């Protein structure tokens, strides 16, 4: 297991370019979100061919609206966890330094930008206000308001968020594969979102690999319980969003080919995030032949996060793992 000094250095390295490789809703020309060419591309991404623009819009509204709700919840829960981390509750050099607090704080702030931007995007392309009256926010937050160790809460949150982050990364690979020049709005949106997600994935991997090892066996078991509970609520949220979109648009998103593929990938990642011994696993570690084939055919690449990611980084600092 790495020393506290090694762990703090790793966190510092992950966050070194957070101010450069970052995402903000003001970065986009929103007048381009709904051009005929961009809507045709949505059909290509979700259906495999043009001519299904209405169904594509409905599906994107469901996926990104749902993701925005989850990201807002992640932000709030991380703020809660940060408020509970102190020298008394989390003693040791890692908690005493600024690095973990800084990494989690940036993660939380970035998730709010993502939620804000995704909601704006789905409004722009649909002309609708696809907001749930009950987004299960209170229930999802309550999972983390029990008397658990802050690290238990943080790791459980990251493990549950990691599933959605991995799925949207696969979707980003698909848009990049279909639009390598990033001519279309959705491709640029997901690419810039992915610059933040690259750090989030690295932090997820850190807490899954390093921080998890600091827990007692009982705390590890409790982590898995919390992760399972939040995943169940996220599934309920997905059903609610699909029902909302059906009421608003008349489109059953389950008929969209991309929806069936994304659901299969989501279920596979969610069921495999912990191995038979209860230890967390990365998305690339769970790619057996069948899942690898599914991911490859959909995204055009044979990995999820594995290769190094080079975005808007400075020459001497790679942007990190994605």
């Amino acid at each position: 297991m790495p020393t506290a000094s090694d762990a703090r250095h790793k966190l510092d390295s992950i966050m070194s370019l957070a101010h450069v490789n970052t995402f903000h809703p003001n970065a986009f020309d929103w007048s381009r979100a709904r051009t005929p060419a961009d809507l045709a591309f949505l059909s290509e991404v979700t259906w495999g061919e043009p001519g299904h623009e209405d169904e594509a819009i409905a599906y994107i509204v469901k996926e990104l609206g749902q993701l925005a709700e989850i990201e807002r919840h992640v932000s709030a829960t991380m703020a809660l966890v940060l408020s509970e981390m102190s020298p008394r509750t989390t003693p040791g050099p890692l908690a005493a330094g600024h690095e973990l607090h800084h990494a989690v704080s940036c993660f939380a702030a970035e998730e709010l930008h993502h939620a804000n931007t995704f909601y704006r995007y789905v409004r722009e392309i649909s002309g609708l206000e696809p907001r749930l009256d009950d987004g299960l926010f209170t229930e999802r937050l309550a999972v983390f308001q029990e008397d658990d160790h802050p690290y238990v809460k943080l790791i459980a949150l990251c493990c549950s968020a990691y599933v959605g982050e991995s799925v949207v990364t696969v979707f980003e690979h698909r848009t990049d594969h279909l639009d390598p020049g990033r001519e279309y709005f959705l491709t640029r949106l997901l690419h810039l979102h992915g610059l933040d997600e690259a750090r989030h994935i690295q932090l997820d991997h850190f807490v899954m690999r390093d921080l998890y090892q600091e827990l007692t066996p009982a705390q590890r078991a409790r982590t898995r319980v919390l992760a399972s509970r939040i995943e169940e609520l996220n599934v309920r949220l997905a059903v609610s969003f699909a029902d909302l979109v059906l009421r608003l648009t008349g489109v059953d998103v389950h008929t969209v080919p991309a929806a069936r593929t994304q659901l299969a990938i989501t279920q596979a990642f969610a069921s495999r995030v912990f191995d038979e011994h209860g230890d967390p696993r990365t998305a690339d570690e769970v790619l057996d032949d069948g899942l690898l084939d599914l991911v490859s055919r959909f995204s055009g690449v044979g990995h999820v996060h594995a290769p190094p990611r080079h975005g808007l980084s400075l020459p001497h600092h790679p942007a990190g793992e994605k």
Side-chain angles (χ1 to χ4, degrees):
M1 190 170 70
T3 66
S5 178
D6 291 336
R8 290 173 62 179
H9 177 75
K10 184 183 296 185
L11 286 170
D12 201 38
S13 177
I14 290 170
M15 301 308 299
S16 64
L17 290 173
H19 61 301
V20 177
N21 289 344
T22 194
F23 169 98
H24 194 281
N26 287 355
F28 302 99
D29 178 0
W30 288 97
S31 68
R32 293 287 310 278
R34 196 185 158 84
T35 68
D38 279 89
L39 296 185
F41 179 66
L42 296 188
S43 180
E44 180 70 26
V45 168
T46 61
W47 210 276
E49 61 185 22
H52 303 275
E53 283 79 2
D54 289 345
E55 295 92 339
I57 289 171
Y59 175 64
I60 295 295
V61 167
K62 183 266 181 186
E63 286 295 296
L64 295 189
Q66 171 188 321
L67 184 56
E69 282 287 346
I70 290 173
E71 291 188 307
R72 186 164 58 179
H73 168 258
V74 169
S75 180
T77 304
M78 284 186 164
L80 175 67
V81 171
L82 285 168
S83 74
E84 296 177 351
M85 288 170 53
S86 71
R88 180 185 62 82
T89 59
T90 53
L94 184 59
H98 76 277
E99 293 87 357
L100 181 60
H101 185 278
H102 177 60
V104 176
S105 296
C106 289
F107 197 142
E110 289 157 2
E111 291 291 79
L112 275 183
H113 280 317
H114 299 172
N116 176 22
T117 304
F118 285 151
Y119 266 132
R120 179 170 179 176
Y121 179 60
V122 298
R123 291 186 192 105
E124 292 283 345
I125 63 173
S126 69
L128 301 171
E129 184 66 31
R131 297 284 294 274
L132 289 171
D133 291 335
D134 180 10
L136 304 176
F137 184 90
T138 301
E139 290 180 65
R140 289 184 289 131
L141 188 61
V143 172
F144 299 96
Q145 291 178 306
E146 299 181 27
D147 188 24
D148 291 296
H149 190 281
Y151 287 172
V152 168
K153 296 180 182 183
L154 178 61
I155 298 166
L157 179 67
C158 287
C159 285
S160 63
Y162 183 70
V163 173
E165 290 163 352
S166 298
V167 173
V168 77
T169 297
V170 172
F171 204 76
E172 180 196 345
H173 291 324
R174 178 170 175 79
T175 56
D176 271 340
H177 179 68
L178 295 174
D179 178 24
R182 301 193 182 110
E183 298 294 328
Y184 298 109
F185 192 95
L186 179 63
T187 311
R188 295 193 295 274
L189 176 70
L190 292 181
H191 172 70
L192 290 179
H193 173 261
L195 297 179
D196 285 353
E197 291 297 89
R199 289 188 302 281
H200 298 182
I201 292 299
Q202 287 184 289
L203 183 58
D204 291 339
H205 288 175
F206 172 83
V207 302
M208 291 161 67
R209 291 167 171 162
D210 298 342
L211 202 59
Y212 189 77
Q213 300 306 314
E214 296 192 13
L215 302 184
T216 67
Q219 288 173 331
R220 294 182 190 185
R222 181 62 177 165
T223 297
R224 297 192 293 273
V225 169
L226 296 188
S228 176
R229 285 169 57 185
I230 198 64
E231 181 60 26
E232 289 172 1
L233 288 166
N234 285 343
V235 170
R236 285 176 54 192
L237 182 69
V239 172
S240 296
F241 257 102
D243 291 343
L244 174 67
V245 169
L246 179 61
R247 292 196 303 272
L248 291 175
T249 68
V251 175
D252 179 356
V253 297
H254 301 100
T255 64
V256 179
R260 295 192 290 270
T261 301
Q262 292 276 88
L263 178 60
I265 294 172
T266 301
Q267 291 174 335
F269 287 161
S271 65
R272 303 177 190 186
V273 71
F274 294 101
D275 66 18
E276 65 273 19
H277 305 295
D279 292 326
R281 295 190 294 177
T282 70
D284 290 286
E285 289 171 344
V286 306
L287 290 177
D288 59 21
D289 290 343
L291 184 54
L292 176 60
D293 180 64
L294 182 63
V295 168
S296 299
R297 285 189 287 108
F298 183 71
S299 70
V301 297
H303 62 269
V304 182
H305 309 299
R309 178 185 183 83
H310 299 283
L312 303 175
S313 57
L314 300 175
H316 62 288
H317 278 303
E321 179 183 342
K322 179 79 187 278

